[in-house]
Amino acid sequence: MTTTLITGANKGLGFETARRLIAAGHTVYLGSRDAERGRRAAERLGARLVVLDVTDDASVAAAAKTVEAGGGLDVLINNAGIEARTPDGGVIGAAEVTADMMRQVFETNVFGVVRVTHAFLPLLRRSAAPVVVNVSSGLASLDRVSTPDTPMHAYPGVAYPASKATVNMVTVQYAKAFPEMRINAVEPGYTATDLNAHTGHQTVEEGAEIIVRMATVGPDGPTGGYFDIEGTLPW
Ligand SMILES: NC(=O)c1ccc[n+]([C@@H]2O[C@H](COP(=O)([O-])OP(=O)(O)OC[C@H]3O[C@@H](n4cnc5c(N)ncnc54)[C@H](OP(=O)(O)O)[C@@H]3O)[C@@H](O)[C@H]2O)c1
């Protein structure tokens, strides 16, 4: 039996990933920072709710205790993420971004990944086949963002791509440190969710595909990589 924790799984790509992995036979801990939103989502899917705010040490420590008491963890999916937007929904560009805005985005997207991974490492180390999936973005790719005449090049935001590029580096460094684990970063593709006010052109079913694929890699699968549904992405 495989036990999987997905952060930020009360909606969007995390919720769809939970649905798919439960269908594949995983026991899924559905992470949600809000107990009521999480309870509703977990009930719909037959998942176990774990209240978990990735920006809060105490919340993450309590979640680790809950999952440990439930029998341990095999797969960790660091999915919770935010994108800094103005109140009217616009992307915050280079002229407007401040250190405080960057810090807020990094607190969730980067420090959240490290906080959760660090807390769950002892459990993952006890698994026979530990797997970590870090939900990154195509906007993490320096290669893509600097290639003119592409949608990635046209994206004006600073904080979100910088945070996801850091997630990629964190992924590589963890993968080297823990060769017994499969640790990869994934780009789901531009997917209609609350994150982008549903402007994405993919469905959550399409977006979750690569997350599910990398969550179910075997011990001979890749590690330290950065993938979308087509294959390896350029850093
Ligand atoms: N959608 C895309 O086009 C796209 C493309 C590339 C990568 N991604 C990445 O995919 C991941 C999932 O995003 P999504 O598109 O599914 O967005 P979403 O529908 O907005 O879902 C984001 C999830 O993260 C949770 N979250 C935010 N801050 C949190 C915190 N401090 N602690 C715990 N949970 C927190 C949200 O919880 P609440 O409901 O409580 O806010 C929600 O469950 C993110 O990492 C995002 O960067 C998305």
Side-chain angles (χ1 to χ4, degrees), residues 8 10 13 33 37 53-54 79 135-136 160 164 191 193 196:
N10 53 288
L13 289 163
R33 63 177 159 176
R37 285 197 291 273
D53 182 333
V54 303
N79 167 78
V135 181
S136 177
Y160 183 78
K164 293 297 189 177
T191 305
T193 66
N196 49 41

Side-chain angles (χ1 to χ4, degrees), residues 25 42 51 111 128 130 160 166 183 208:
V51 176
F111 309 146
Y160 183 78
T166 308
I183 305 180

Side-chain angles (χ1 to χ4, degrees), residues 6 9-23 26-31 37-49:
I6 308 169
N10 53 288
K11 66 179 182 181
L13 289 163
F15 181 85
E16 175 60 15
T17 302
R19 192 185 69 76
R20 291 277 306 276
L21 291 176
I22 288 167
H26 288 213
T27 298
V28 170
Y29 280 95
L30 183 148
R37 285 197 291 273
R39 189 191 59 75
R40 280 199 298 268
E43 255 175 29
R44 276 176 63 195
L45 294 178
R48 298 181 184 185
L49 167 65

